[in-house]
Amino acid sequence: MDWIKSINNALEYIETNLTEEIDYSKLAQAACCSEYHFSRMFSSMAGITLSEYIRRRRLTEAAFELQKTGIHIIDVAVRYNYDSADSFTRAFKKLHGIKPSEARKKGTMLKAYPRMSFQLSIIGVKEMDYRIENLDFELRIAGKKKTVKTRMAARVISELWGEAKENGFLKTLIDMSWEKPQCKMEGILGICGKDSDIRDEEFEYFMGARYQGEVPGDMETLLIPPSSWAVFPNVIDAWKRIYSEWLPASGYQLGNLPCIENFLTPGHQPENELWVPVITGYMEVKG
């Protein structure tokens, strides 16, 4: 399948650039998708993050060089993009359990992480629940936006919600979101960027709630036009599987709107949902 070939093209790019600065935008381009989506798809299929895979491959090759050559440790560190011998030594010891200087000793046990490749295999044994929602009205969302580096999105977004809980902003959104509910997107919302295909190094993560009243002065308003959505229970599981399983199988195209994480009221099952904009061809807008 073309998407498997694209992922392997990206892996080839990594291998040919282990001793260079890896350009994540070029890596995503090789995979024929956005940087944001490629990172999520890779993690879901490989079981480790993209950055961790690159780290393991570099340190594997570094160990081979230390064993086979008389190259100085600092030169190996620089070759594999470490700023100093100390940072290289810490990373090397974390992976291999020994210092780089000990890697040259005969009989020393090291870890090797071979190059990955993806092949067509049977997946989808576990079913994916989803529904299609056609919202024929404009969504008016009040909240605040934060700039997030694409490469660090998963960690940073989690930290943002932790901060919102501590400073009271989350409580404010809760009070707003459960006032006069009008549709199924009635929880606390996390809007990811401007469209479903994030290609920039940074994007705006909008933390808000649907609200029809007067917006507080320290917040702003985001408007999303009438649109169709594929809705998946369990945000974390959905992010892992929609790009590697659901999209290739469904034939749907992504719409030019952001994906939305919807965190629902206590006791609701599921507790959260991922809303993914799709083009269905059946949308009827009332006017």
Side-chain angles (χ1 to χ4, degrees):
M1 294 178 67
D2 288 344
W3 60 278
I4 293 179
K5 181 179 179 181
S6 296
I7 295 175
N8 285 327
N9 286 341
L11 293 175
E12 176 64 27
Y13 173 84
I14 291 173
E15 289 300 310
T16 57
N17 288 277
L18 286 175
T19 59
E20 306 293 335
E21 184 71 28
I22 291 178
D23 187 327
Y24 279 70
S25 62
K26 290 183 179 179
L27 178 58
Q29 185 178 8
C32 298
C33 66
S34 72
E35 180 182 330
Y36 184 64
H37 292 160
F38 176 69
S39 295
R40 286 186 176 277
M41 182 167 61
F42 180 90
S43 297
S44 68
M45 298 177 70
I48 60 172
T49 64
L50 181 59
S51 60
E52 176 64 14
Y53 172 70
I54 294 171
R55 186 183 75 87
R56 291 181 184 183
R57 288 295 300 133
R58 281 175 166 164
L59 290 171
T60 292
E61 293 299 310
F64 288 150
E65 289 199 23
L66 287 171
Q67 286 185 316
K68 296 177 181 179
T69 70
I71 189 172
H72 294 298
I73 291 175
I74 183 60
D75 293 331
V76 177
V78 172
R79 177 171 168 78
Y80 287 98
N81 282 265
Y82 284 89
D83 296 332
S84 66
D86 287 341
S87 62
F88 174 69
T89 296
R90 287 193 298 271
F92 193 93
K93 186 174 182 180
K94 182 177 179 181
L95 183 71
H96 294 287
I98 60 173
K99 296 178 180 179
S101 58
E102 299 174 299
R104 290 193 169 108
K105 296 179 181 179
K106 297 295 183 181
T108 299
M109 187 73 69
L110 295 165
K111 297 182 185 296
Y113 286 90
R115 168 183 174 173
M116 277 188 185
S117 66
F118 289 95
Q119 300 177 356
L120 181 62
S121 60
I122 298 175
I123 59 176
V125 175
K126 180 182 177 183
E127 73 277 3
M128 287 189 72
D129 293 329
Y130 77 97
R131 69 180 190 273
I132 299 297
E133 292 279 358
N134 294 320
L135 303 186
D136 58 357
F137 54 90
E138 183 178 69
L139 295 173
R140 182 175 183 266
I141 303 170
K144 299 178 181 179
K145 63 184 177 183
K146 301 287 185 178
T147 300
V148 173
K149 289 187 179 298
T150 304
R151 201 179 308 170
M152 303 166 62
R155 177 177 63 81
V156 173
I157 288 173
S158 177
E159 291 175 354
L160 288 176
W161 284 116
E163 293 172 3
K165 183 176 181 180
E166 291 180 2
N167 62 30
F169 179 53
L170 180 59
K171 178 62 166 59
T172 299
L173 291 180
I174 289 174
D175 293 340
M176 294 168 63
S177 68
W178 300 336
E179 182 177 307
K180 299 179 181 179
Q182 295 179 343
C183 76
K184 294 181 181 179
M185 195 188 290
E186 289 301 338
I188 307 302
L189 306 178
I191 296 92
C192 304
K194 295 181 179 179
D195 55 52
S196 58
D197 194 17
I198 299 173
R199 294 184 180 274
D200 298 327
E201 293 183 1
E202 296 180 340
F203 66 92
E204 300 292 344
Y205 185 73
F206 194 93
M207 307 166 70
R210 288 193 63 240
Y211 190 63
Q212 300 301 316
E214 183 176 349
V215 177
D218 61 342
M219 296 187 192
E220 56 186 294
T221 300
L222 178 66
L223 301 177
I224 296 180
S227 45
S228 296
W229 306 81
V231 184
F232 303 86
N234 190 334
V235 167
I236 294 177
D237 185 59
W239 275 127
K240 289 180 179 179
R241 302 180 66 194
I242 56 173
Y243 298 109
S244 60
E245 298 182 43
W246 189 82
L247 272 174
S250 70
Y252 279 103
Q253 289 184 312
L254 293 175
N256 294 321
L257 291 170
C259 294
I260 300 177
E261 299 171 337
N262 185 25
F263 303 97
L264 299 160
T265 57
H268 191 285
Q269 291 297 326
E271 295 181 350
N272 48 67
E273 299 175 328
L274 180 64
W275 289 57
V276 179
V278 292
I279 300 171
T280 66
Y282 299 107
M283 187 67 191
E284 292 183 6
V285 179
K286 296 180 181 179

